[in-house]
Amino acid sequence: MRATDTLIHARWVVPVEPDNRILDYHSIAIDDGRISAVLPSAEARQSFQPRVNLELDDHCLIPGLINAHTHAAMTLLRGVADDLHLMDWLQNHIWPAEQKWTSEQFVHDGSQLAIAEMLRSGTTCFNDMYFFPEATAKIAASGTIRACVGLILVDFPTTYADSPDAYFTRGLALHDNYRNHPLVKCAFAPHAPYTVSDEPLRRVRMLADELDLPVHMHVHETASEISDSVMQTGQRPLQRLADLGLLSSALTAVHMTHLNDAEIRQLADSGASVVHCPESNLKLASGFCPVQTLIDAGINVALGTDGAASNNDLDMLGEMRTAALLGKAVAADASALPADVALRMATLNGARALGIADETGSLTVGKWADICAVDLGRIETQPLYDPVSQLVYAAGREQVSDVWVAGQHVLKSRELTHLDIKDLLQRARGWQTRISAGDSK
Amino acid sequence: MRATDTLIHARWVVPVEPDNRILDYHSIAIDDGRISAVLPSAEARQSFQPRVNLELDDHCLIPGLINAHTHAAMTLLRGVADDLHLMDWLQNHIWPAEQKWTSEQFVHDGSQLAIAEMLRSGTTCFNDMYFFPEATAKIAASGTIRACVGLILVDFPTTYADSPDAYFTRGLALHDNYRNHPLVKCAFAPHAPYTVSDEPLRRVRMLADELDLPVHMHVHETASEISDSVMQTGQRPLQRLADLGLLSSALTAVHMTHLNDAEIRQLADSGASVVHCPESNLKLASGFCPVQTLIDAGINVALGTDGAASNNDLDMLGEMRTAALLGKAVAADASALPADVALRMATLNGARALGIADETGSLTVGKWADICAVDLGRIETQPLYDPVSQLVYAAGREQVSDVWVAGQHVLKSRELTHLDIKDLLQRARGWQTRISAGDSK
C-alpha cells in the first residue's frame, strides 16, 4: 500500500487530455499538490493508503475551469449599468465609475468577491486584466486560486498610474515579485488597440519576448473598433498589431467578433490564441465570434466570462453552455461546438492560452491537482446518458460540490475553506452603498 | 387587525403589472389561494394578523414564471442525443425513442420529474405539448402546479392514438374532465404545419372557436420547414395557417425563427402570440427569432424552454437570461430586450398567450397567488444596484427559495412539499437503465 495525501473516488473522471474519454468509477490520487495517479477505483482502493479519502458517488471530476478573460474586481460594478451600448456603457458609466472608485482597496475587495464566486462555480484559474493588479495577485497568492495577472496598460492616466512609463514600472515590479510563484504568473495586458498607441505596444512586444510572458488584449471586440481604426490609421487593428510584431503565439486576443478569412488564416499561422466571451459579446451586442470556423482553422480558442459588469456573473459552467449553444447557431450547424469541445475550451485551451498547459488544464499525472467535482445526481441532471452532456447542457454552478487548487481543498461540500463569506458580503454591501450614493444612475 | 392566511414580507416586490415598478420593503397577503393585498411591510404588520408569517429579508418576490412551451415528459430523454441536426435528431433519435418508450407511465414519471425541476426553478405554470396529456394533467391537478395541457395532434399513428379521429376523441374527453378546474386548462396542440394536414387543422379551428381554447403549435421553427412547405404546397406555413383560419388571437405560435416583414405585420394584426425558445433554437441551430422587432410590432412574445431533450433544462431564469442576452445581439442593439422586458415575457406575456392573464402572470390583487421568491443576498448577486437586473443577468435557479401556486406553499426553503424527490430519482434512473439498454446510441 502506497501512502498518499488525498484520494478521490468518483463516479466519472473526465481528464480532457489526451482525448475525450470518460472514465467510469475512477479515482485521483494527490501528492504534494500534484496529481500522482488516475486509475480505476477498485485498483486505487487496493493500492493507496490515503490520509484523506473522499467518496463522490454521483459526481464527475473535471479539470478546474479556466476563466481566460475577466476583470475580477469589477464584480463591485455588477449590474450598475445594463442594457446600454458598449461605448455609452464604457464612456458614460464604467470609466467614470472606475475613475471615481478604483483603488487598492476596491480591487482587493472586488477580487476577493470574484474569487469566491469563481471557486463556488468550479473555476480554479483566471486570466485577469485590471488596475491595481498587485491587490489581485496578493489574494490569489494567499493560496486560494491560480491566476494570470495582467500588467495593465492604457495611454491615459488613471488612479493607478499616470503615464505609460508608470504602468510599465508598476507592472515590471509586480512581475518581479511573483517570479516562479506556484499560483500566480503575469501577462502583459495592453487594454485594446484603441487605448494603447504604437510606442508602448512596441515596448510590450520587446519585454514580452524578453521575459517570455503572454500578451492579453481585447482585439476586434466590435465592428466600430475596426472602422474607427481604419479611419484613423488606415489599418484594421489586427494588421496594426501584426505590423507591431504582436501577432505571435504569445498573444491572447479576446473577443474577436469580426474577422475576415485572411485574418483567420493570419491568426492560425501566428499561433495566437483567441478567448471567446459569448455572454459579454451578446450583452453588449458586440457581434458573433465564429468559433467553429476558428477551431477548424486550427486556432486555440479558450473561454472567458469577461467582467461581472458585462456578463453579469463569473460562472464558467454557464459560459460553456452559452458557448456550445451559440456556437451551433452561429455556424448554422447543430453539430458544431459539441459538449466535449466546450469543456476543452474551458480547461486545456485556457491553459494553453496562458502558457501553463504543462502545469494545469487537464487531469494528467504530474500536473497540479486543480480539480472540480460536479454532483450530477440532482433531478436537474437526471436521467443521465452522458456526463459531459449533462455538465455542459444541464448542470448549474450550484452542483459544483468540491474544488481543489494545487491540491488544496478550497471548496468543501460547497463551503469555501479560505474565505469568510460574511465578511465578503459586508464589504460588497459597503461598496454598494457608497457607489449608489455617488452614481447618478 | 384583519385575519389573513399568509403574509410574506420581502425586501422587494416586482409585480410586473401595471408597470415596471420595484416596490421596496413590501408584503403580499394571501387568502383563499389568491392575492388579497400588496402593500408596504410597515403597513402590513399593523393591518394583518396572518396564520402564516414569512420574513424574506434578502428576497425579491416576482410572479411565478410561466414556461409557455415545453414537452414535460421529455425530461426522461434529457441528453439522450445532443449535437445533432433537428431532422436527424427528430427522425433518427427522438421519434424512434418516443415510439418505443412513450406510455402513460413514461409521461407520468417524466412529467413529475419536470414539475419538480420547474418548481425548484420558480416556474408555477407550464404550457405542455405531449402524448398521454391525461397523465400530465393528473399530476398538475393534484395540486402542485398550474398547467395548460395540449391536446396533441399529428397525422401519423403513435402509441397514444392511431388516427386524427382518435387524437380528437381522447383530447376532447380530457378537456371535458378538466372543465373549470382551478389549475388545469387545455389547449389544442397540433404539433406543426408539417405534421398535421389541412382537414384536421380545419377541425381544430372550428373546435377552438367553439370551446374558446388556445391553439398551441410549432410554427416556422427552421428555414427548411418553410422551403419544404413552399415546395409541397406553394405556400409558406404561416400563410397556410392563415388560409385555414388559424391565424388569430387564439394562436400561440412557437419558435418563429424565420419571418419576413409582411408576416410580422400579419401576426401583429391577428393578435396571435409568439413563444420564443432561445436555448432550443440555438441548440438545434434553427435560427434567430427577431424578438425585439416582434415586440416593436406590438406582438405578445412569451418565453419557453422547449423540452429538456433540446435545451437541456427547464430553467426559466436561465431562459430569461439567454433571451435578454441573445435579443440584444440579434437586434445589434445592446439596449434591446432589457431585463424588465425579459421578466414580463416570462410572466405576464405567458399568461396572455395562454388566455389566463386575468388569473395569473402578475402580483395583482384578485389573481391567484402564484409567486416566486428569489434570494438575492448570495455573493453571486452582490453587490446589488437593481434587483431586476440581478434576477435576469446574475441569479441562478438555486436562489429560488420559495414558491406558491394558488397560495399553496409548494417549495419551502428549497424543499418540495408535494413531491418525493427520492422516489422521482429512482424512477428516472429506472427509465435511464431501460432506455440506455434499448438505445443504439
Side-chain angles (χ1 to χ4, degrees):
Chain A
M1 297 284 273
R2 190 173 131 197
T4 191
D5 290 344
T6 299
L7 194 59
I8 316 165
H9 308 288
R11 175 63 186 84
W12 301 276
V13 173
V14 178
V16 172
E17 210 172 18
D19 56 18
N20 300 329
R21 76 185 63 183
I22 294 165
L23 307 172
D24 282 288
Y25 300 108
H26 265 61
S27 303
I28 294 182
I30 304 175
D31 282 294
D32 297 325
R34 292 184 183 263
I35 295 169
S36 55
V38 180
L39 73 177
S41 295
E43 208 177 302
R45 288 180 215 282
Q46 293 188 332
S47 330
F48 285 97
Q49 193 145 31
R51 270 174 289 280
V52 176
N53 191 68
L54 198 65
E55 306 279 348
L56 298 173
D57 295 340
D58 289 318
H59 299 59
C60 185
L61 298 182
I62 56 174
L65 301 169
I66 297 180
N67 187 346
H69 177 67
T70 191
H71 312 283
M74 291 183 82
T75 46
L76 293 179
L77 300 174
R78 188 202 309 276
V80 82
D82 291 316
D83 304 324
L84 300 167
H85 299 278
L86 175 67
M87 281 301 147
D88 179 12
W89 177 77
L90 274 177
Q91 290 170 352
N92 302 321
H93 296 265
I94 296 301
W95 287 343
E98 287 181 331
Q99 198 59 25
K100 184 159 185 182
W101 298 109
T102 307
S103 66
E104 187 100 24
Q105 190 64 42
F106 178 96
V107 174
H108 174 275
D109 293 352
S111 297
Q112 208 163 50
L113 184 67
I115 288 169
E117 181 181 349
M118 287 193 276
L119 290 174
R120 276 164 57 93
S121 49
T123 293
T124 56
C125 177
F126 67 104
N127 187 31
D128 202 59
M129 179 194 284
Y130 209 61
F131 306 105
F132 300 95
E134 300 83 357
T136 307
K138 198 172 160 190
I139 296 168
S142 72
T144 57
I145 197 164
R146 191 176 301 285
C148 179
V149 175
L151 311 178
I152 183 77
L153 172 65
V154 290
D155 280 346
F156 51 87
T158 59
T159 54
Y160 174 63
D162 58 11
S163 69
D165 266 355
Y167 287 103
F168 278 107
T169 306
R170 291 197 74 158
L172 291 171
L174 174 60
H175 169 252
D176 209 52
N177 274 343
Y178 288 91
R179 213 184 277 265
N180 301 321
H181 193 281
L183 289 176
V184 175
K185 75 169 279 184
C186 294
F188 284 99
H191 171 264
Y194 60 92
T195 47
V196 189
S197 47
D198 287 359
E199 201 39 51
L201 284 179
R202 277 194 202 96
R203 197 164 160 202
V204 164
R205 190 200 58 76
M206 190 192 67
L207 287 166
D209 280 356
E210 219 167 82
L211 301 168
D212 195 20
L213 293 188
V215 178
H216 174 195
M217 191 174 196
H218 301 104
V219 188
H220 288 209
E221 182 169 4
T222 62
S224 63
E225 170 191 337
I226 299 172
S227 57
D228 288 355
S229 169
V230 169
M231 210 152 64
Q232 285 157 20
T233 71
Q235 283 187 313
R236 287 167 66 94
L238 198 67
Q239 188 54 47
R240 185 175 145 235
L241 296 183
D243 289 354
L244 289 165
L246 278 161
L247 190 52
S248 75
S249 61
L251 182 67
T252 291
V254 181
H255 297 311
M256 299 301 249
T257 58
H258 297 269
L259 290 168
N260 60 36
D261 291 348
E263 286 168 336
I264 293 172
R265 277 193 304 273
Q266 197 179 11
L267 266 173
D269 290 344
S270 73
S273 288
V274 166
V275 181
H276 178 41
C277 300
E279 295 185 4
S280 172
N281 296 159
L282 292 172
K283 186 154 187 286
L284 296 168
S286 305
F288 299 97
C289 177
V291 179
Q292 187 62 52
T293 306
L294 301 185
I295 292 171
D296 291 343
I299 296 166
N300 179 56
V301 184
L303 196 64
T305 60
D306 209 341
S310 66
N311 184 309
N312 295 348
D313 65 37
L314 306 176
D315 172 10
M316 284 289 290
L317 273 179
E319 205 74 32
M320 271 203 285
R321 184 154 189 256
T322 303
L325 295 178
L326 186 64
K328 297 176 212 316
V330 168
D333 176 357
S335 69
L337 236 162
D340 62 288
V341 171
L343 179 61
R344 184 172 286 251
M345 286 169 62
T347 55
L348 188 59
N349 292 6
R352 283 187 181 140
L354 309 187
I356 52 175
D358 291 341
E359 296 292 325
T360 188
S362 65
L363 301 177
T364 303
V365 171
K367 287 196 185 184
W368 289 110
D370 295 348
I371 306 171
C372 168
V374 184
D375 178 2
L376 298 177
R378 313 276 186 86
I379 60 161
E380 285 79 6
T381 39
Q382 291 289 323
L384 187 152
Y385 301 98
D386 177 338
V388 177
S389 164
Q390 299 300 69
L391 271 171
V392 172
Y393 295 121
R397 61 190 177 194
E398 75 280 7
Q399 293 177 259
V400 172
S401 67
D402 294 82
V403 173
W404 292 261
V405 175
Q408 288 190 65
H409 203 165
V410 291
L411 186 79
K412 205 167 173 173
S413 301
R414 298 282 311 140
E415 294 300 318
L416 291 167
T417 56
H418 290 59
L419 292 167
D420 177 349
I421 288 273
K422 229 170 146 177
D423 172 61
L424 270 176
L425 281 173
Q426 207 161 38
R427 280 183 284 131
R429 284 170 182 171
W431 283 105
Q432 175 189 317
T433 306
R434 269 166 283 170
I435 293 171
S436 296
D439 194 68
S440 60
K441 196 199 170 213
Chain B
M1 298 283 274
R2 188 172 133 199
T4 191
D5 289 344
T6 298
L7 194 60
I8 316 166
H9 308 289
R11 175 64 187 83
W12 301 276
V13 174
V14 178
V16 173
E17 209 172 20
D19 56 18
N20 300 328
R21 77 185 61 183
I22 294 164
L23 307 171
D24 281 289
Y25 300 106
H26 265 61
S27 303
I28 294 182
I30 304 175
D31 282 294
D32 297 327
R34 291 183 184 265
I35 295 169
S36 55
V38 180
L39 73 177
S41 294
E43 207 178 302
R45 287 180 216 283
Q46 293 188 332
S47 329
F48 286 97
Q49 193 145 31
R51 270 174 290 280
V52 176
N53 191 69
L54 198 65
E55 305 279 348
L56 298 174
D57 296 340
D58 289 317
H59 299 60
C60 184
L61 299 183
I62 56 174
L65 301 169
I66 297 180
N67 187 346
H69 177 65
T70 191
H71 312 283
M74 291 183 83
T75 46
L76 293 180
L77 300 174
R78 188 202 309 279
V80 81
D82 291 315
D83 305 323
L84 300 167
H85 299 279
L86 175 66
M87 282 301 148
D88 179 11
W89 177 76
L90 274 177
Q91 290 170 351
N92 302 321
H93 295 265
I94 297 302
W95 287 342
E98 287 180 332
Q99 198 58 23
K100 185 158 184 182
W101 298 108
T102 308
S103 65
E104 187 100 26
Q105 190 63 43
F106 178 96
V107 174
H108 173 276
D109 293 352
S111 297
Q112 208 163 49
L113 184 68
I115 288 169
E117 182 181 350
M118 287 193 275
L119 289 174
R120 276 164 58 93
S121 49
T123 293
T124 56
C125 177
F126 66 104
N127 188 31
D128 202 59
M129 180 195 284
Y130 209 61
F131 306 104
F132 301 95
E134 299 84 358
T136 307
K138 198 173 160 189
I139 296 168
S142 72
T144 55
I145 198 164
R146 191 176 301 286
C148 179
V149 175
L151 311 178
I152 182 78
L153 172 64
V154 289
D155 280 346
F156 51 87
T158 59
T159 53
Y160 174 63
D162 58 11
S163 69
D165 267 356
Y167 287 103
F168 278 107
T169 305
R170 292 197 73 159
L172 291 170
L174 174 60
H175 170 253
D176 209 53
N177 274 343
Y178 288 91
R179 214 185 277 264
N180 303 320
H181 193 282
L183 289 175
V184 175
K185 75 170 279 185
C186 293
F188 284 100
H191 171 265
Y194 60 92
T195 48
V196 189
S197 47
D198 288 359
E199 201 39 51
L201 284 179
R202 279 195 200 95
R203 198 165 159 198
V204 164
R205 189 199 59 75
M206 191 192 67
L207 287 167
D209 281 356
E210 218 166 84
L211 301 169
D212 193 22
L213 292 188
V215 178
H216 174 195
M217 191 174 196
H218 301 103
V219 187
H220 287 209
E221 182 169 3
T222 62
S224 64
E225 171 192 335
I226 299 172
S227 57
D228 287 355
S229 170
V230 169
M231 208 153 64
Q232 285 157 20
T233 71
Q235 283 187 314
R236 287 165 67 93
L238 198 67
Q239 189 52 48
R240 187 177 142 232
L241 296 183
D243 290 354
L244 290 165
L246 278 161
L247 191 51
S248 75
S249 62
L251 182 67
T252 291
V254 181
H255 297 311
M256 300 301 249
T257 58
H258 298 268
L259 290 168
N260 60 38
D261 292 347
E263 286 168 335
I264 292 171
R265 279 193 303 274
Q266 197 179 10
L267 265 173
D269 291 343
S270 73
S273 290
V274 166
V275 181
H276 177 42
C277 299
E279 296 186 4
S280 172
N281 295 160
L282 291 173
K283 186 154 187 285
L284 296 167
S286 305
F288 299 98
C289 177
V291 178
Q292 187 62 51
T293 307
L294 300 185
I295 292 171
D296 291 343
I299 296 166
N300 180 57
V301 184
L303 196 63
T305 60
D306 209 342
S310 66
N311 185 311
N312 296 347
D313 65 37
L314 306 177
D315 172 10
M316 283 290 289
L317 273 179
E319 205 75 31
M320 272 203 284
R321 183 154 191 256
T322 303
L325 295 178
L326 185 64
K328 299 176 211 316
V330 167
D333 176 358
S335 69
L337 235 162
D340 62 289
V341 171
L343 180 61
R344 185 171 284 252
M345 286 169 63
T347 55
L348 188 60
N349 292 6
R352 284 188 181 141
L354 310 186
I356 52 176
D358 291 342
E359 297 291 324
T360 189
S362 65
L363 301 178
T364 303
V365 170
K367 288 196 184 184
W368 288 110
D370 295 348
I371 307 173
C372 167
V374 184
D375 179 2
L376 298 178
R378 313 278 186 84
I379 60 162
E380 285 79 6
T381 41
Q382 290 291 325
L384 186 151
Y385 301 97
D386 177 337
V388 177
S389 163
Q390 299 300 68
L391 270 171
V392 172
Y393 295 122
R397 61 189 176 195
E398 74 280 8
Q399 293 176 258
V400 172
S401 67
D402 294 83
V403 173
W404 293 261
V405 175
Q408 289 190 65
H409 202 166
V410 290
L411 186 78
K412 205 169 176 172
S413 302
R414 298 283 312 139
E415 293 300 318
L416 291 166
T417 57
H418 290 59
L419 291 167
D420 178 349
I421 288 272
K422 225 169 149 181
D423 172 60
L424 270 176
L425 281 174
Q426 205 162 38
R427 279 183 286 130
R429 284 170 181 171
W431 284 106
Q432 174 190 317
T433 307
R434 268 166 284 170
I435 292 170
S436 296
D439 195 69
S440 61
K441 194 196 170 214

